[in-house]
Amino acid sequence: MSWHPLYRSSKFRHVYGKAASKDKCYDCVPITRSVHDNHFCAVNPHFIAVVTECAGGGAFLVIPVHQTGKLDPHYPRICGHKGNVVDIKWNPFNDFVIASCSEDATVKIWDIPKHLLTRNITSPKKELLGHVRRVGLIEWHPTASNILFSSGYDYKIMIWNLDTKEAVLSNPVKILDVHRDVILSMSFNTDGSLLATACRDRNIRLIDPRAGVVLQEASYKSHRVNKVLFLGNMKKLLSTGTSRWNNRQIALWDQNDLSMPLMEEDLDGSSGILFPFYDSDTHMLYIVGKGDGNIRYYEISPEKPYLNYLTEYRSPLPQKGIGIMPKRGLEVSACEIFRFYKLIPTKSLVQPISMIVPRRSESYQEDIYPLTTGAQPALTAQEWLNGVNKGPLLVSLRPGSGAVNSLPQFLEPEPLLKTTAPSQNWDRGGRMPLEEKQRRSEVQDSRNQLKVEETLLKKEQMRLSNGFDIFECPPPKTENEV
């Protein structure tokens, strides 16, 4: 009997990884030599932050995303920690706020100026003092504003409410003391009502963070877990780790029953940690190996076989850490569905890698860009602490569909021309006050400038025909020229 492979229709079957050219990379970045199994890189649509090597304390760089090429060796750093920086995470609702944790047992919150850094930043906006040993992981709550989770080598997870005016916080709103060893990984479900952790005692725990209660615990001996990840709203968990024979392995779990994994898959015999990343919009799972050069990717389905291998991106350069760009920072015109920032310490290089769906049409592809998580919190910190659960607020990535960028709260709105009563704008003699004249002339100037730019753009588009400048290379006029 002949064997017929089962054909499975998928629009992501031909997704490929495209590495940026050298001029689009970040060169001469002194990447940290720390041996912690963290990402060491955090990205948002405005900035890329990278933990760097630093003598006498800990530091990290914050570089504008568009400032590629060679980095000045004297580029300013954020360097207020007394020990090595272990983890950094951008606030998901404010692109100008970043949290960092360190071996000095503190967590610090930093305000990044919207203009370029001109000097080292040494004083944080807030300092969180609660752990008695080094802090290894930090995570922002996915839907509530200003809620931060930190876990340390004192086996505790602390929940911080940053909605206060105090610069130094020493009392977290909640301490989760349910682990007997170091926490290796933390992951939230979509609305942030559940927290999954992977611990060095090889167990996965599913925790209600507000009650501080362990709802489920997996102690499956033949899978030693390192990292755990919620798969969006699929009510499943994915863990990476090693098998009984020390092969690198991924396992899929039902969040309501952690007694046995739904499936296990051995990958290879390498020793580097596997970092899992899940894109709930496309149901794609990316597995990035520390010390590898490749990135494997799969498609997740709700029924068996659950995990469908697509292919892998290969590269000879090994990655020490990796950052991912939020969906709102992707280039939708190029059909880009995911973007990694790969740290290559051997070359002091940070290299962007875009995952692209090959499409011929240049129009917006509705089917690969469903509504995605935006930059606005669904609820306040106090609402979440009071027991309210809400899913993330969704936005469309269609160009021109509305602002999806997170703006700093200190930005001033642009002046708008309003029609007001004559008594407010004119004096009794019928003259306009000087301030009003200046304001109206500024608005008129900005409008004139906009018209000039639009005219220039139209002329430029008229000059270009099929991508060629017809003035630089005019079309042939005679038969001899043809």
Side-chain angles (χ1 to χ4, degrees):
M1 190 173 74
S2 61
W3 177 73
H4 295 285
L6 180 67
Y7 179 76
R8 192 181 57 84
S9 167
S10 168
K11 55 189 125 175
F12 303 109
R13 180 182 297 277
H14 303 292
V15 169
Y16 66 95
K18 181 182 177 184
S21 56
K22 188 72 183 282
D23 60 317
K24 296 285 197 305
C25 297
Y26 307 84
D27 203 357
C28 303
V29 179
I31 296 165
T32 179
R33 292 198 286 268
S34 170
V35 295
H36 280 87
D37 293 321
N38 284 343
H39 299 152
F40 299 124
C41 180
V43 190
N44 70 25
H46 288 91
F47 300 107
I48 170 171
V50 182
V51 179
T52 63
E53 196 55 35
C54 172
F60 59 97
L61 291 167
V62 172
I63 311 165
V65 158
H66 302 296
Q67 188 180 317
T68 52
K70 284 197 172 181
L71 189 75
D72 180 3
H74 302 294
Y75 190 84
R77 305 179 185 207
I78 287 78
C79 50
H81 283 287
K82 297 189 176 89
N84 290 334
V85 174
V86 180
D87 197 10
I88 48 176
K89 292 275 169 38
W90 287 104
N91 186 334
F93 309 119
N94 189 338
D95 290 343
F96 298 84
V97 171
I98 189 169
S100 64
C101 65
S102 162
E103 291 181 352
D104 63 9
T106 65
V107 180
K108 301 193 181 197
I109 315 296
W110 309 86
D111 266 341
I112 305 300
K114 65 178 186 293
H115 49 78
L116 293 179
L117 288 175
T118 53
R119 57 186 178 80
N120 287 352
I121 296 180
T122 54
S123 55
K125 176 186 176 185
K126 287 188 188 298
E127 192 169 4
L128 315 180
L129 309 173
H131 292 280
V132 293
R133 297 184 66 189
R134 76 174 76 159
V135 187
L137 286 171
I138 45 176
E139 287 288 345
W140 293 91
H141 192 277
T143 59
S145 63
N146 291 323
I147 291 283
L148 184 72
F149 283 59
S150 64
S151 80
Y153 277 57
D154 50 8
Y155 313 158
K156 291 182 174 66
I157 296 176
M158 297 190 179
I159 306 174
W160 304 88
N161 179 5
L162 306 180
D163 260 349
T164 59
K165 293 181 180 177
E166 298 153 21
V168 179
L169 298 174
S170 52
N171 294 317
V173 290
K174 185 83 181 171
I175 298 177
L176 308 179
D177 192 4
V178 295
H179 296 83
R180 297 183 293 277
D181 212 327
V182 177
I183 297 114
L184 303 174
S185 172
M186 294 192 291
S187 175
F188 287 101
N189 64 345
T190 309
D191 63 3
S193 59
L194 295 174
L195 176 71
T197 63
C199 183
R200 198 178 278 168
D201 63 9
R202 306 304 185 189
N203 289 0
I204 298 173
R205 290 175 178 84
L206 196 61
I207 302 168
D208 181 340
R210 284 170 297 209
V213 178
V214 177
L215 305 174
Q216 290 269 336
E217 186 168 348
S219 54
Y220 186 66
K221 298 302 178 195
S222 54
H223 176 74
R224 292 175 296 188
V225 64
N226 286 316
K227 300 286 177 188
V228 67
L229 183 69
F230 261 103
L231 298 183
N233 278 329
M234 300 186 76
K235 296 195 180 298
K236 290 183 177 61
L237 293 167
L238 182 114
S239 63
T240 65
T242 53
S243 71
R244 195 172 278 169
W245 294 275
N246 255 9
N247 290 326
R248 292 199 296 188
Q249 189 182 56
I250 55 178
L252 194 68
W253 309 79
D254 181 353
Q255 78 174 40
N256 298 318
D257 180 16
L258 297 182
S259 58
M260 282 279 288
L262 296 171
M263 58 143 295
E264 297 170 89
E265 185 174 322
D266 285 15
L267 299 186
D268 55 34
S270 299
S271 59
I273 293 286
L274 294 171
F275 297 122
F277 298 95
Y278 180 64
D279 180 3
S280 57
D281 298 343
T282 59
H283 302 297
M284 282 181 68
L285 171 74
Y286 301 87
I287 303 290
V288 182
K290 184 178 177 180
D292 302 358
N294 58 351
I295 298 172
R296 298 175 175 87
Y297 39 103
Y298 303 79
E299 205 170 356
I300 303 280
S301 55
E303 58 278 330
K304 285 185 178 180
Y306 303 119
L307 213 61
N308 301 292
Y309 176 73
L310 294 173
T311 182
E312 65 180 308
Y313 164 81
R314 293 177 179 272
S315 161
L317 299 171
Q319 57 247 358
K320 181 185 181 70
I322 202 133
I324 57 167
M325 173 68 81
K327 272 307 193 55
R328 54 199 172 87
L330 299 182
E331 198 176 331
V332 294
S333 59
C335 295
E336 184 184 32
I337 56 169
F338 216 73
R339 191 190 305 160
F340 294 99
Y341 285 79
K342 170 176 168 177
L343 306 187
I344 309 169
T346 53
K347 294 189 175 292
S348 298
L349 192 71
V350 181
Q351 181 186 47
I353 298 167
S354 298
M355 310 307 292
I356 293 171
V357 179
R359 295 273 172 102
R360 286 186 178 176
S361 171
E362 292 183 1
S363 61
Y364 178 72
Q365 306 291 309
E366 194 83 51
D367 59 326
I368 61 174
Y369 295 115
L371 292 180
T372 189
T373 305
Q376 299 299 323
L379 41 120
T380 64
Q382 199 55 51
E383 283 174 340
W384 182 78
L385 290 170
N386 291 342
V388 181
N389 290 325
K390 273 188 192 172
L393 298 181
L394 303 180
V395 293
S396 169
L397 295 181
R398 182 187 289 277
S401 64
V404 294
N405 282 339
S406 169
L407 292 174
Q409 294 164 4
F410 47 79
L411 276 184
E412 293 280 313
E414 291 184 8
L416 297 173
L417 188 63
K418 293 180 182 176
T419 56
T420 51
S423 59
Q424 294 174 354
N425 285 337
W426 302 79
D427 61 12
R428 290 180 184 175
R431 293 187 302 270
M432 190 186 295
L434 182 62
E435 296 86 357
E436 186 65 24
K437 280 184 183 177
Q438 288 175 345
R439 193 166 69 82
R440 293 199 177 191
S441 66
E442 283 172 10
V443 172
Q444 191 61 40
D445 287 347
S446 65
R447 286 182 177 175
N448 293 341
Q449 179 69 21
L450 196 60
K451 285 180 183 173
V452 170
E453 288 175 2
E454 285 177 358
T455 312
L456 288 173
L457 188 62
K458 283 179 184 172
K459 285 182 180 176
E460 186 67 27
Q461 288 171 347
M462 288 167 63
R463 279 180 55 187
L464 293 173
S465 173
N466 287 337
F468 294 98
D469 193 336
I470 57 176
F471 293 139
E472 282 186 17
C473 182
K477 295 187 178 71
T478 65
E479 198 171 325
N480 291 337
E481 286 183 11
V482 172

